[in-house]
Amino acid sequence: MSAVTVENLVKTYAAGGRRATDDVSLEVADGEFLVLVGPSGCGKTTLLRMVAGLETPDSGTVRIGGRDVTDLPARQRGLSMVFQSYAIFPHMRVRQNIGFGLTMRKVPKDEFDRRVRRAAELLQLSDYLDRYPAQLSGGQRQRVAVARAIVVDAAVLLMDEPLSNLDALLRLQFRAELKRIVGQLGTTTLYVTHDQAEAMSLGDRVAVMRDGKVAQIGPPLDVYDRPAYRFVGGFLGSPPMNFLTARVRDGALAIGDTALPAPAHLSTWDGREVVVGVRAENVQVAKDAVAGWVPARVEVVEPTGAALLLTVCLAGHQLKVQAPATFPAAADDEVHLRAEVEALRFYDPESGLALMP
Ligand SMILES: Nc1ncnc2c1ncn2[C@@H]1O[C@H](COP(=O)(O)OP(=O)(O)OP(=O)(O)O)[C@@H](O)[C@H]1O
Ligand SMILES: [Mg+2]
């Protein structure tokens, strides 16, 4: 049992300064892969370091496997870490680097060999055990850092942007490998990234942070589909969720000159403006006018290969919508748009909080 629970963690670096984490509570279930994601400076590393025992919270509790470890030093917490600057030792061969934690624990030679071999196999480093780090590619070095973290069989694995030094292609490859390896090991994992795509692909659940708080936590597709805040929809997804303002009037949503039926739960907003959110892939696009569809003007056409990403202007709002790769569109064309009302999300313009049915 190695669930990680944090309760009401507050951390301020300078007296009277802004809170780096502001009353954060969350749980990583035993064997779960939880990703902390959010913009730079939102407190991800701070939170991870408090779980690790490298940073002392002002208040709050950290529990691992039910045990209160808030006052325990890092080395007694039974966890393993990989950091952004993966800090493998340049003067040691890959074998000694991977086995470093085992050497520290004075593990006997044959067990050392067995465990290093297994970690190296998992990370496809078996052919490189006798090399020095300088003789490896960046991706291989990063794999050595991960192998070194998993070889000790810690109950909890903490990773802070472990893929950040890789180029885009290697990052994609290694992301899939990491998912496979951690899935096989079943280790409770807390993983930090500011890359929303990485968060979506890796996490059993994702926790989206903002200004030292967790804005939303849940399975990636739930959070993607139903952002609890406008901020979350604007952070997750490529392209991010589109937003436009609409006025609720007599059961209709007025967007510029167009009126769409408003869902019933917006009746309390009659006469007021709401923010409407819609994902690019949930907007249908037609070339010719169709009754009930909304006209918009194409501003930019971007082929992604699999599809066409159109930036269109609708009643003064810029939207990104997705059309089939063969869709005949050019800048300045008129197109017509439609979305199911079920695909629309609504937000309070002031607080950014989702308006739920
Ligand atoms: N050692 C420190 N001393 C003072 N302030 C700090 C320190 N470390 C972090 N901070 C501040 O605390 C806040 C949270 O920082 P943190 O490193 O946790 O963010 P992050 O979410 O990991 O960002 P990034 O994605 O850029 O790594 C930031 O405002 C940062 O400037
Ligand atoms: Mg960080």
Side-chain angles (χ1 to χ4, degrees):
M1 279 306 293
S2 53
V4 176
T5 314
V6 309
E7 285 163 7
N8 309 107
L9 277 189
V10 174
K11 174 73 187 178
T12 315
Y13 283 103
R18 209 170 61 84
R19 287 176 167 190
T21 64
D22 190 1
D23 203 21
V24 172
S25 301
L26 54 80
E27 181 170 51
V28 194
D30 188 37
E32 185 182 28
F33 197 121
L34 183 81
V35 179
L36 287 176
V37 66
S40 184
C42 71
K44 305 178 296 292
T45 295
T46 303
L47 181 57
L48 197 77
R49 287 175 60 86
M50 287 191 286
V51 173
L54 300 173
E55 210 71 72
T56 312
D58 304 347
S59 59
T61 317
V62 179
R63 267 182 248 282
I64 297 176
R67 185 168 69 130
D68 186 340
V69 299
T70 318
D71 298 317
L72 277 191
R75 63 179 187 285
Q76 290 176 26
R77 294 191 182 193
L79 33 77
S80 198
M81 291 169 250
V82 186
F83 291 111
Q84 178 172 359
S85 55
Y86 35 78
I88 53 178
F89 304 110
H91 61 285
M92 286 184 194
R93 293 181 196 272
V94 168
R95 183 187 317 279
Q96 275 68 40
N97 261 296
I98 294 178
F100 183 73
L102 302 177
T103 308
M104 293 279 96
R105 286 167 176 76
K106 302 198 167 45
V107 164
K109 168 98 176 63
D110 51 340
E111 189 186 340
F112 177 99
D113 286 340
R114 188 169 47 75
R115 287 169 70 173
V116 168
R117 257 205 313 275
R118 169 151 182 272
E121 266 166 34
L122 272 175
L123 284 137
Q124 293 164 22
L125 289 166
S126 303
D127 295 342
Y128 305 97
L129 286 172
D130 293 316
R131 292 212 194 166
Y132 287 99
Q135 300 166 316
L136 300 177
S137 72
Q140 289 162 342
R141 272 178 238 164
Q142 205 120 38
R143 292 211 295 267
V144 172
V146 174
R148 187 176 61 181
I150 65 171
V151 80
V152 294
D153 280 336
V156 176
L157 192 55
L158 304 179
M159 292 194 256
D160 192 351
E161 311 247 7
L163 310 187
S164 57
N165 293 318
L166 303 182
D167 68 40
L169 186 59
L170 268 179
R171 220 180 145 113
L172 274 183
Q173 288 170 348
F174 195 19
R175 182 169 98 189
E177 279 177 47
L178 197 63
K179 186 164 180 163
R180 171 180 62 82
I181 291 160
V182 178
Q184 270 174 8
L185 296 172
T187 313
T188 305
T189 304
L190 186 55
Y191 184 102
V192 163
T193 181
H194 63 260
D195 179 336
Q196 57 85 24
E198 205 169 291
M200 295 271 305
S201 95
L202 282 175
D204 294 322
R205 286 188 305 154
V206 299
V208 184
M209 288 187 68
R210 177 194 208 183
D211 294 343
K213 292 181 191 293
V214 174
Q216 188 172 7
I217 184 166
L221 292 180
D222 288 3
V223 178
Y224 178 86
D225 188 43
R226 298 199 172 271
Y229 287 90
R230 173 183 176 158
F231 155 76
V232 174
F235 184 76
L236 284 190
S238 176
M241 188 174 250
N242 294 297
F243 297 103
L244 37 87
T245 48
R247 189 170 288 279
V248 184
R249 196 178 288 137
D250 303 330
L253 279 171
I255 302 172
D257 300 333
T258 314
L260 305 173
H265 72 276
L266 291 184
S267 59
T268 52
W269 282 75
D270 196 68
R272 293 156 73 193
E273 280 192 336
V274 294
V275 172
V276 180
V278 64
R279 293 274 180 204
E281 65 272 25
N282 291 334
V283 180
Q284 287 170 263
V285 191
K287 191 79 191 170
D288 299 320
V290 186
W293 292 42
V294 183
R297 187 151 302 279
V298 176
E299 291 187 343
V300 185
V301 180
E302 293 171 88
T304 65
L308 267 196
L309 190 61
L310 305 181
T311 306
V312 302
C313 183
L314 166 67
H317 298 282
Q318 249 190 6
L319 303 188
K320 301 243 188 233
V321 301
Q322 198 174 298
T326 52
F327 190 83
D332 283 335
D333 282 359
E334 189 176 71
V335 289
H336 299 83
L337 310 179
R338 170 179 185 278
E340 298 285 345
V341 74
E342 290 74 31
L344 303 181
R345 304 289 172 255
F346 301 96
Y347 297 91
D348 182 326
E350 248 136 61
S351 65
L353 193 61
L355 305 174
M356 296 292 190

